[in-house]
Amino acid sequence: MIELGYARTPYGQIHYAECGSGDPVLLLHQTPRSWDEYREVLPLLGGSHRVVAMDTLGFGASAQPAAHTIEDYAQGVLALMDALGLDSAAVAGHHTGGVIAIEAAARAPERVTRLVLSSTPMVDAESRERRRRGGRPVDNATEREDGTHLTELWASRAVYYPPGRPDLLGRYVRDALTIWPGVGLGHQAVGAYRMEERLGLIRCPVLCVGATGDPFGFPELHRLAKPLNAATAVIEGGMIPLELRADEFARVVAEFLE
């Protein structure tokens, strides 16, 4: 059974979902999602671990951060661990969640026992410049009186989602509208992060996971794994929505944690 809760922290209330018992695992979602991204994963990992999927500060039902930066998001992760009485935990993140997980592990290396980075970009000077020069921002739409911005949000993500799964797109749009109009703030935070200065502070074992159908995350798999001396795992047929291969994701994470 998945239980929902709010934790009081110095940064405001943080909303989370929890399942299972045992060694703790904290799950961090991509932008602009919420804990719902891990709805299928929670009971799968919950059979052997205490699994907590949080809403990052500024997303889902969590409080707004002082600023939308990776550093502020990571402070929220550590604050939730304090509130839940977790001295340490394994941390797994998908896309933006992986970037936040890196900062949390760099900021408090003694508290992160294992690190799983799913479809996580390598954000260095080259990446930041590429993002700066890039075209239209991801998950961007201008609000209109006729509501066509809603279909624009849907269409902008549809090309990265499997055909015949409007339910997955519906879950994305619901989370995006929860934080509207700040849908792209998490992407901006990633683009400003100086990851190359933080990787050397990580002390725990790392697993980098890549889904072959993810055009953003998969090409970064080995570029990120190399400086971390990380193990790697490939999810065949996976795409940007983690829910599509939740069983495979849960399996590779459980094997790594064991």
Side-chain angles (χ1 to χ4, degrees):
M1 178 181 295
I2 297 174
E3 298 182 352
L4 304 178
Y6 283 91
R8 293 183 180 274
T9 79
Y11 310 103
Q13 288 191 323
I14 293 179
H15 182 250
Y16 66 94
E18 183 173 358
C19 185
S21 60
D23 292 337
V25 183
L26 189 58
L27 305 177
L28 311 180
H29 60 80
Q30 68 169 302
T31 295
R33 297 298 310 276
S34 69
W35 77 269
D36 178 71
E37 181 165 52
Y38 292 103
R39 185 180 293 273
E40 292 84 0
V41 173
L42 279 161
L44 295 173
L45 283 178
S48 55
H49 294 80
R50 179 187 179 186
V51 190
V52 178
M54 67 178 288
D55 288 351
T56 300
L57 285 173
F59 297 86
S62 287
Q64 290 294 318
H68 279 269
T69 67
I70 297 300
E71 291 81 1
D72 278 50
Y73 296 156
Q75 281 290 90
V77 172
L78 299 174
L80 177 63
M81 291 176 63
D82 290 341
L84 297 181
L86 302 178
D87 293 331
S88 62
V91 181
H94 184 58
H95 275 263
T96 302
V99 181
I100 299 168
I102 285 172
E103 176 59 25
R107 190 166 290 241
E110 74 286 356
R111 303 191 67 180
V112 178
T113 58
R114 298 227 164 190
L115 190 61
V116 179
L117 307 174
S118 172
S119 295
T120 301
M122 173 67 182
V123 188
D124 55 12
E126 175 188 340
S127 172
R128 289 190 295 273
E129 178 62 18
R130 187 170 61 247
R131 288 169 182 264
R132 187 186 69 81
R133 293 185 176 182
R136 185 166 171 266
V138 179
D139 296 328
N140 182 65
T142 301
E143 190 169 73
R144 303 181 185 90
E145 290 186 9
D146 62 1
T148 53
H149 58 287
L150 303 179
T151 55
E152 186 177 356
L153 271 177
W154 182 286
S156 68
R157 278 270 180 152
V159 294
Y160 306 119
Y161 277 57
R165 292 300 305 271
D167 57 310
L168 298 182
L169 275 165
R171 288 165 67 175
Y172 152 73
V173 170
R174 183 184 65 198
D175 280 342
L177 292 180
T178 297
I179 63 166
W180 183 268
V183 184
L185 291 173
H187 299 302
Q188 294 172 27
V190 171
Y193 184 54
R194 304 184 70 85
M195 181 185 288
E196 72 274 27
E197 299 174 4
R198 308 297 284 166
L199 296 178
L201 300 174
I202 295 172
R203 297 288 178 262
C204 64
V206 183
L207 173 68
C208 291
V209 182
T212 55
D214 186 334
F216 301 108
F218 192 64
E220 299 278 76
L221 177 62
H222 296 290
R223 202 163 85 90
L224 179 62
K226 184 177 180 180
L228 289 168
N229 194 28
T232 59
V234 174
I235 297 179
E236 296 290 342
M239 299 175 71
I240 286 178
L242 185 144
E243 303 99 314
L244 186 63
R245 291 288 186 273
D247 55 345
E248 184 70 4
F249 176 81
R251 182 187 65 79
V252 298
V253 171
E255 289 180 356
F256 177 65
L257 296 180
E258 292 300 324

